[in-house]
Amino acid sequence: MSSPRVYAIDGLVPVIDPSAYVHPSAVLIGDVIVGPGCYVGPCASLRGDFGRLILGRGANVQDTCVMHGFPGTDTVIEEDGHIGHGAVLHGCRIGRNALVGMNAVIMDNAVLGESSIVAACAFVKAGLEIPPRSLVAGVPAKIIRTLSEQEMAWKIEGTLTYQNLTRRSLATLVETTALAAVEPDRKRLELPGVLPLIELRRQSSGSA
């Protein structure tokens, strides 16, 4: 398996726990600390060339996400934090078990409380403090309501899926050469427990 693109700057070298998976196309620069069981997806950019970036145990930072911060700051994703495709985190803190949706932006000194969810494409202003278990959405982002137990269960399931992806990637993901044609009876990936959120909602409501 190829190694991720890791760069030292001013003598600071990124740290990746051996149980974490960082995709070879991800870029880690300087003061970056990736904790146990984390997943860092393709083309993620973790630039610790000004401030420190910290990923807590079991956190995931998905493809094309960006993490950065000003000098003297820490940009932190706490344990089981979940950062969706294309999100940008700048000098902020994502609380334990919180989720940031796809293409959302979280600005400097913002704090996302434990087990909160930021909706896709939201813009969280600098300095905004979001209480635990809040649903946040909009541009600029506003607190919509408290999350339900069912919504929290869905979030936890999604994060467990990415923690499993960490293990799958470490065990089986290899660089290869593309086939020139589709094989007869091409198999599909079998992940019976992984369902779209809209399907989970349908099942839980009992609708057809």
Side-chain angles (χ1 to χ4, degrees), residues 6-208:
V6 175
Y7 302 89
I9 188 169
D10 296 337
L12 275 167
V13 179
V15 177
I16 302 173
D17 187 276
S19 65
Y21 174 77
V22 179
H23 191 273
S25 66
V27 177
L28 280 63
I29 299 173
D31 197 1
V32 179
I33 302 169
V34 179
C38 290
Y39 174 86
V40 178
C43 300
S45 176
L46 280 60
R47 279 184 49 211
D49 47 13
F50 289 173
R52 176 168 295 174
L53 313 181
I54 302 171
L55 278 63
R57 179 183 294 273
N60 69 74
V61 176
Q62 298 170 24
D63 33 311
T64 74
C65 287
V66 174
M67 290 182 69
H68 196 240
F70 286 114
T73 67
D74 291 350
T75 304
V76 179
I77 306 169
E78 296 182 12
E79 182 176 353
D80 294 335
H82 187 113
I83 312 302
H85 317 289
V88 177
L89 308 182
H90 203 282
C92 56
R93 176 174 287 269
I94 308 302
R96 183 182 179 279
N97 195 45
L99 182 150
V100 175
M102 293 181 280
N103 289 312
V105 176
I106 318 293
M107 291 300 294
D108 300 277
N109 300 318
V111 178
L112 180 58
E114 180 175 346
S115 299
S116 288
I117 293 178
V118 174
C121 298
F123 179 82
V124 177
K125 297 187 297 184
L128 184 64
E129 295 195 14
I130 298 164
R133 289 193 58 167
S134 299
L135 175 63
V136 180
V139 180
K142 292 181 171 55
I143 298 167
I144 306 301
R145 58 177 170 80
T146 300
L147 290 162
S148 69
E149 292 293 336
Q150 183 65 73
E151 287 166 326
M152 290 310 313
W154 290 333
K155 187 275 164 194
I156 291 168
E157 281 298 315
T159 301
L160 288 172
T161 297
Y162 267 88
Q163 291 169 351
N164 184 52
L165 179 59
T166 296
R167 295 186 287 272
R168 289 173 58 209
S169 298
L170 288 170
T172 71
L173 192 148
V174 293
E175 190 170 359
T176 188
T177 301
L179 301 174
V182 178
E183 321 94 290
D185 301 320
R186 181 179 175 89
K187 73 173 186 177
R188 289 184 177 272
L189 293 170
E190 295 183 7
L191 301 167
V194 181
L195 297 172
L197 181 55
I198 191 169
E199 176 65 17
L200 290 172
R201 285 176 173 162
R202 185 189 69 79
Q203 290 182 4
S204 65
S205 66
S207 59

